[in-house]
Amino acid sequence: MKFPDTFHSHELLIAFSFFLLTLPLFSSSLPEGKGKEVPYYMTSDVKEVAGKSFDYIVVGGGTTGCPLAATLSDNFSVLLVERGGSPFGNPLVTDKRFFGFSLLQTDEYTSVAQSFISTDGVQNHRGRVLGGSSAINGGFYSRARDDFVKKAGWDEELVKKAYEWVESKVVFPPELTPWQSVVEFGLLEAGILPYNGYSLEHIDGTKIGGTAFDQCGKRHTSADLLDAGNPKNLVVLLNATVNNIIFSNNGKANESRAHGIRFIKSDGSSNHMHEAYLNKPGNSSTWGDVILSAGALGSPQLLLLSGIGPHDHLKDLNIPTIVDLQEVGEGMQDNPCIAKLVDTMPQKRLPEPPEVVGIADNFKFIIQAGVLPISSNASRMPIAAKLAFPISKGKLELDSTDPRQNPSIKFNYLAKEKDLHECVKMVQLLDKVTKSQSVSSFLGIKPQEKLMSNSDELRKLCKNNVRTFYHYHGGCIVGSVVDKDYRVYGVKGLRVIDGSTFQESPGTNPMATVMMLGRYQGLKLVEERREICN
């Protein structure tokens, strides 16, 4: 049995290579962005920040870091450090018609997306711009299911308020394109029921989700949430990469406290170190924190670079051990994805992010579709499915002590037999969607009645064609690396607040929940400090 319509890795590589060859000509013709001006509290001059002190230092101006910094700035002075630049005025970020191009135009130091390949051999990307992955993803917005919130032990009412705060600023109901409407009917034909219409909740069936693109086709990232902060208390340092956390010993045996950061310019032009510090109040109990919100790769990487992690691994890289914390970098997961091209050849269609989703088999399978660019004037139409609850886990380690380089990551896609078994079921459901009457009629082809059924061939298909849905998480998991309040075990004044603390990817897409987490934990920290002061 052959699967000519399957998304093969070599086909992707050919398409990507062609795109990279044609992109320089295309890039020169991109219109100048006319987004909002960069706010006065943002700077790329490391000298403006070096040597200064703040109540809180947030490392990573991504999907979680921006709402976290905005919330804290209402009451405290905050330094937010982002390794990338500003998204404002960059059409590769802001314009819906250029959705997907940022993932293909990457370089070593300055592109808004940084590419990496896991040791599994799967190509992936991470955000490197203010707004993080919310500036390069599909912009699909959907909350976590209630069970996820309960399992996390979060205050359900405060979670609801935090979601609503985000939604009031950067979330919009989409206007479905013809292709998204077709996919919606295809999902229903495949039996992904009931039909739930427009909903931000994570519920079984087919629904329309929220989007970060407004009615004018402009993307709103988590960077927009900084507008809700107090600009007098907020400094955002762009194009600066944190090298490590600075610790001091407060006199008690083996008790270290984070009291600052060391950082360098991100562009590779200099390795000169600069420092910024936490304010030192008279009462030690009212210290602020260094908070890592650098993402599922960046946060465990930075802990390791700072001497928090497995002693033997740190010793191999000549990094002094601050805390021998074996679980740093463990539990890495990326939801396995299988995608099928439903068009027969590239065509000149505008890129489209996903706007509808099928949630099937008790939340286990997530199916979405879009239109992705492969060159300046051609695109393809994949329908993709992800396995929501894989049990296979991997590991993150350092390859280098340069924080600008990617760490080494192995996700162990489909390593467990249960994951492979579920992948077979997922592909069979995906096959029903791609061969539905709705999809076939839209493409002008005859519906294929014969569905994939050979289990051995499907297992082989899963192994050979697994790719990413870009929803990787883990590495600083709650209960292993941080406690329920996101404090790193073994040190004072250091927390991790981002998707690296998750054991599973929340909802259909994690963007909504990691944005909410920044707002939620910011409010919790403000309340915690208020109680201490009282």
Side-chain angles (χ1 to χ4, degrees):
M1 183 183 295
K2 295 183 179 180
F3 305 101
D5 54 352
T6 298
F7 229 161
H8 288 287
S9 56
H10 69 271
E11 183 178 358
L12 279 173
L13 290 173
I14 292 171
F16 286 2
S17 299
F18 174 69
F19 180 84
L20 291 173
L21 289 173
T22 60
L23 191 57
L25 292 175
F26 175 63
S27 298
S28 62
S29 64
L30 279 175
E32 288 294 325
K34 294 183 180 179
K36 71 176 187 180
E37 294 181 359
V38 176
Y40 72 87
Y41 54 81
M42 297 184 186
T43 180
S44 292
D45 187 351
V46 293
K47 294 180 181 178
E48 290 186 23
V49 173
K52 294 185 177 179
S53 298
F54 305 84
D55 294 328
Y56 285 93
I57 298 175
V58 179
V59 180
T63 313
T64 305
C66 287
L68 174 61
T71 302
L72 291 173
S73 72
D74 280 342
N75 295 270
F76 306 102
S77 62
V78 180
L79 171 63
L80 175 63
V81 184
E82 167 52 42
R83 66 196 188 111
S86 167
F88 305 123
N90 184 341
L92 291 182
V93 172
T94 60
D95 290 9
K96 186 177 181 180
R97 57 188 169 141
F98 297 127
F99 161 66
F101 284 113
S102 63
L103 301 187
L104 300 171
Q105 187 180 358
T106 62
D107 58 37
E108 185 173 8
Y109 293 122
T110 62
S111 56
V112 299
Q114 182 178 14
S115 63
F116 68 95
I117 300 176
S118 68
T119 59
D120 313 272
V122 175
Q123 185 172 7
N124 215 318
H125 295 87
R126 54 195 293 220
R128 183 169 52 191
V129 61
L130 190 67
S133 292
S134 72
I136 64 173
N137 64 14
F140 193 89
Y141 185 97
S142 185
R143 298 180 180 183
R145 62 192 177 122
D146 293 341
D147 285 353
F148 185 94
V149 174
K150 291 176 181 176
K151 189 186 299 184
W154 295 334
D155 179 326
E156 294 179 39
E157 187 59 33
L158 189 59
V159 165
K160 182 174 181 288
K161 290 180 180 178
Y163 273 128
E164 290 172 347
W165 181 84
V166 172
E167 290 153 13
S168 69
K169 295 170 173 56
V170 296
V171 182
F172 308 87
E175 297 178 359
L176 295 191
T177 64
W179 172 232
Q180 291 298 309
S181 295
V182 166
V183 173
E184 183 180 34
F185 283 110
L187 294 168
L188 294 171
E189 280 185 56
I192 303 178
L193 301 168
Y195 178 62
N196 296 305
Y198 176 68
S199 175
L200 300 181
E201 301 298 334
H202 189 49
I203 43 181
D204 255 327
T206 295
K207 74 165 192 172
I208 302 167
T211 180
F213 293 96
D214 65 23
Q215 279 66 39
C216 296
K218 296 297 182 183
R219 182 197 294 267
H220 295 259
T221 76
S222 66
D224 292 49
L225 298 175
L226 292 170
D227 291 343
N230 183 349
K232 295 180 180 179
N233 283 343
L234 182 61
V235 176
V236 179
L237 177 61
L238 302 172
N239 299 302
T241 300
V242 174
N243 186 79
N244 65 285
I245 302 151
I246 303 171
F247 293 98
S248 61
N249 193 296
N250 65 5
K252 295 182 180 180
N254 298 321
E255 186 175 72
S256 297
R257 173 179 287 279
H259 76 92
I261 57 171
R262 293 189 181 94
F263 54 93
I264 57 178
K265 295 174 71 174
S266 296
D267 61 8
S269 63
S270 172
N271 289 321
H272 181 72
M273 293 284 181
H274 304 270
E275 296 184 354
Y277 312 102
L278 290 174
N279 281 326
K280 187 176 181 180
N283 182 353
S284 63
S285 64
T286 60
W287 274 76
D289 300 289
V290 173
I291 304 173
L292 304 187
S293 297
L297 270 62
S299 289
Q301 178 186 28
L302 192 48
L303 286 181
L304 293 169
L305 288 171
S306 303
I308 298 177
H311 172 74
D312 290 344
H313 179 50
L314 299 177
K315 184 179 179 182
D316 289 341
L317 291 160
N318 296 315
I319 299 173
T321 301
I322 301 296
V323 181
D324 182 10
L325 195 54
Q326 293 292 317
E327 296 300 314
V328 174
E330 295 287 347
M332 295 296 299
Q333 284 190 314
D334 189 14
N335 298 85
C337 166
I338 300 294
K340 293 185 65 183
L341 290 172
V342 295
D343 51 350
T344 56
M345 64 180 64
Q347 295 192 31
K348 193 172 182 179
R349 294 186 177 93
L350 281 177
E352 287 184 24
E355 296 171 340
V356 301
V357 63
I359 304 166
D361 200 2
N362 196 26
F363 302 99
K364 288 191 294 187
F365 307 139
I366 309 295
I367 300 180
Q368 293 180 303
V371 179
L372 299 179
I374 61 168
S375 75
S376 61
N377 60 0
S379 57
R380 298 303 301 266
M381 302 172 67
I383 299 180
K386 83 164 184 177
L387 189 62
F389 309 123
I391 59 173
S392 304
K393 296 182 179 181
K395 187 175 184 178
L396 178 149
E397 293 184 317
L398 297 178
D399 264 347
S400 163
T401 56
D402 184 346
R404 294 168 294 203
Q405 301 299 318
N406 288 311
S408 171
I409 313 101
K410 186 176 183 65
F411 291 116
N412 280 321
Y413 296 101
L414 305 177
K416 298 289 187 180
E417 176 61 29
K418 182 181 178 182
D419 289 347
L420 193 55
H421 175 74
E422 294 294 343
C423 183
V424 169
K425 292 170 59 180
M426 181 177 73
V427 171
Q428 289 173 326
L429 179 60
L430 177 63
D431 195 34
K432 291 181 181 179
V433 178
T434 60
K435 293 176 180 176
S436 65
Q437 179 72 46
S438 298
V439 171
S440 300
S441 297
F442 180 81
L443 297 172
I445 60 177
K446 185 178 180 180
Q448 301 178 46
E449 296 181 0
K450 188 175 182 180
L451 299 175
M452 302 179 192
S453 59
N454 186 303
S455 179
D456 291 337
E457 289 288 349
L458 289 171
R459 288 167 62 90
K460 183 178 179 181
L461 182 150
C462 284
K463 288 181 178 180
N464 292 341
N465 293 277
V466 66
R467 58 191 290 266
T468 182
F469 218 77
Y470 303 105
H471 295 171
Y472 48 87
H473 50 278
C476 300
I477 293 173
V478 171
S480 298
V481 176
V482 298
D483 65 16
K484 64 181 179 62
D485 294 313
Y486 298 86
R487 299 186 185 95
V488 176
Y489 289 124
V491 292
K492 300 286 187 181
L494 180 61
R495 304 187 196 228
V496 179
I497 301 176
D498 59 22
S500 70
T501 63
F502 293 165
Q503 294 194 60
E504 67 179 68
S505 181
T508 61
N509 304 60
M511 180 179 72
T513 302
V514 290
M515 280 185 176
M516 179 281 296
L517 182 66
R519 174 64 174 178
Y520 175 89
Q521 287 299 327
L523 293 172
K524 297 284 283 188
L525 284 170
V526 170
E527 180 62 25
E528 178 183 299
R529 287 284 289 268
R530 184 179 294 119
E531 290 177 357
I532 290 173
C533 291
N534 289 339

